[in-house]
Amino acid sequence: MKLATLKDGSRDGQLVVVSRDLKTAHYVNDVAGKLQTVLDDWNFYAPQLQDVYDALNAGRARHPFAFDPRACMAPLPRAYQWADGSAYVNHVELVRRARGAEMPPEFWTDPLMYQGGSDDMIGPHDDIVCTSEAFGIDFEAEVAVITGDVKMGAKPEQAADAIRLIMLANDVSLRNLIPAELGKGFGFFQSKPATAFSPVAVTPDELGEAWRERRVHLPMTVHWNSKKVGAPDCGTDMVFDFGQLIAHICKTRNVRAGSIVGSGTISNVDRSKGYCCIAEKRMLEIIDGGQPVTGFMKFGDAVKIEMFDAQGRSVFGAIDQLVSAKG
């Protein structure tokens, strides 16, 4: 099943079911108007939405209309929690090696995670708005999941059972603000502006064999100013799976329905697969030549993040954003 939230002038938008080929959609006001409503009582609402989805794909829907991803908000425009991990430890190791810092061994056994802003998620075609290019504007292509309720102390297997939906994320970073913030010893804040998400969120079964080991085994395709810069495989080199990431949050607290958990920047050891954030490219340049060559994003730059299945079909639709100056 594929779900999206369309802009309607309200904070939380209008929930729709989207066809598998992303060409048509159907309103589901008679079932639930908001995605959070569905997440709060998944077992009741999901089967009803599945019936609409099946009818839409079979050409039996009563009132289908053309789906326009440019009209989408984030699938969950306001979330109860946005917790972003760093499951691709290779990425962390590169960053630390570039600045001459040792890699603590516990980074391979205990996930890194920060809690981002969840009150203002943005849509897949909304601009990345920034007040200054000097902040070091960077994209970060990730996979994210939306959970149901998970009890404190849940093990990875139990936590994974609560994964309701999967989507893509562009976890924008302002790289030049990060060192001073981390230097305070209190984590990211101003360096992490609004996160964008793919047009649709999909249930794990939509991925078929590509969803296994609690990971997505498909490449993440990234274009920067129309140039393909990366297509690393999301299942390869993911040290912590989504069950482990959710269980990490649950160690000392409950996780409530409508929580979003991110994978962190997709990164493969195989450098031929390219990169999913500019910082990683710059780290490799530092390691190889002593200094970075590639600059960060400028006003007017574009980034496109998309995932295709084995048949070359877009699974989630594309995050397709421009960087713009705040007026």
Side-chain angles (χ1 to χ4, degrees):
M1 181 166 58
K2 299 190 177 186
L3 303 175
T5 296
L6 299 185
K7 297 176 180 178
D8 67 353
S10 70
R11 291 181 184 272
D12 298 308
Q14 177 65 59
L15 179 67
V16 296
V17 170
V18 182
S19 62
R20 183 170 287 115
D21 62 9
L22 304 178
K23 291 183 179 179
T24 58
H26 202 286
Y27 288 110
V28 286
N29 301 24
D30 56 334
V31 179
K34 313 296 180 188
L35 180 54
Q36 184 61 50
T37 301
V38 178
L39 294 166
D40 285 338
D41 198 350
W42 182 261
N43 290 336
F44 177 74
Y45 289 108
Q48 299 177 65
L49 296 177
Q50 184 69 48
D51 288 343
V52 177
Y53 183 64
D54 292 341
L56 190 60
N57 288 321
R60 295 184 282 102
R62 295 178 61 187
H63 302 293
F65 60 91
F67 177 61
D68 182 4
R70 294 170 297 182
C72 288
M73 305 174 77
L76 193 60
R78 291 190 291 175
Y80 281 108
Q81 179 168 218
W82 163 227
D84 196 20
S86 193
Y88 299 85
V89 183
N90 169 70
H91 171 76
V92 181
E93 186 177 38
L94 275 177
V95 172
R96 295 184 69 87
R97 179 149 54 107
R99 68 171 189 256
E102 290 189 9
M103 182 77 164
E106 61 268 23
F107 279 22
W108 293 97
T109 57
D110 192 32
L112 291 171
M113 188 169 285
Y114 84 92
Q115 196 162 44
S118 60
D119 57 332
D120 186 31
M121 306 303 197
I122 59 175
H125 287 259
D126 293 343
D127 284 359
I128 300 168
V129 180
C130 192
T131 56
S132 173
E133 292 177 344
F135 289 166
I137 308 163
D138 196 359
F139 52 82
E140 288 192 49
E142 304 186 11
V143 176
V145 300
I146 306 177
T147 78
D149 289 325
V150 190
K151 291 184 178 180
M152 181 170 59
K155 301 302 181 185
E157 296 78 11
Q158 298 167 313
D161 287 340
I163 294 173
R164 302 292 183 243
L165 296 163
I166 305 168
M167 54 189 176
L168 307 184
N170 181 15
D171 178 42
V172 177
S173 288
L174 303 179
R175 299 293 183 184
N176 293 339
L177 300 185
I178 289 177
E181 288 203 315
L182 293 185
K184 295 178 180 178
F186 223 53
F188 302 118
F189 198 83
Q190 291 176 334
S191 53
K192 288 291 186 176
T195 304
F197 293 89
S198 51
V200 303
V202 312
T203 49
D205 62 286
E206 283 294 317
L207 296 173
E209 286 299 311
W211 175 253
R212 61 185 188 275
E213 302 162 335
R214 306 188 295 249
R215 298 170 172 86
V216 176
H217 291 266
L218 289 171
M220 180 76 80
T221 303
V222 180
H223 287 82
W224 178 15
N225 291 334
S226 300
K227 178 184 177 181
K228 185 177 179 180
V229 297
D233 184 81
C234 297
T236 304
D237 303 317
M238 188 180 188
V239 175
F240 304 104
D241 64 52
F242 278 107
Q244 291 171 300
L245 292 176
I246 299 168
H248 180 78
I249 307 172
C250 292
K251 183 175 181 178
T252 59
R253 64 177 99 168
N254 295 315
V255 170
R256 294 307 185 189
S259 292
I260 302 175
V261 182
S263 66
T265 305
I266 312 302
S267 178
N268 286 173
V269 174
D270 181 357
R271 293 297 147 211
S272 69
K273 301 299 183 181
Y275 55 91
C276 282
C277 72
I278 301 169
E280 185 163 307
K281 172 68 170 173
R282 287 167 58 90
M283 295 308 104
L284 289 168
E285 291 168 349
I286 292 171
I287 292 168
D288 292 340
Q291 61 182 4
V293 176
T294 304
F296 291 116
M297 299 182 83
K298 303 295 184 184
F299 296 144
D301 277 10
V303 60
K304 186 175 184 179
I305 297 167
E306 197 165 9
M307 182 177 286
F308 300 92
D309 64 17
Q311 289 73 44
R313 300 170 299 199
S314 182
V315 179
F316 304 91
I319 298 172
D320 196 351
Q321 297 179 277
L322 292 173
V323 179
S324 66
K326 179 175 173 56

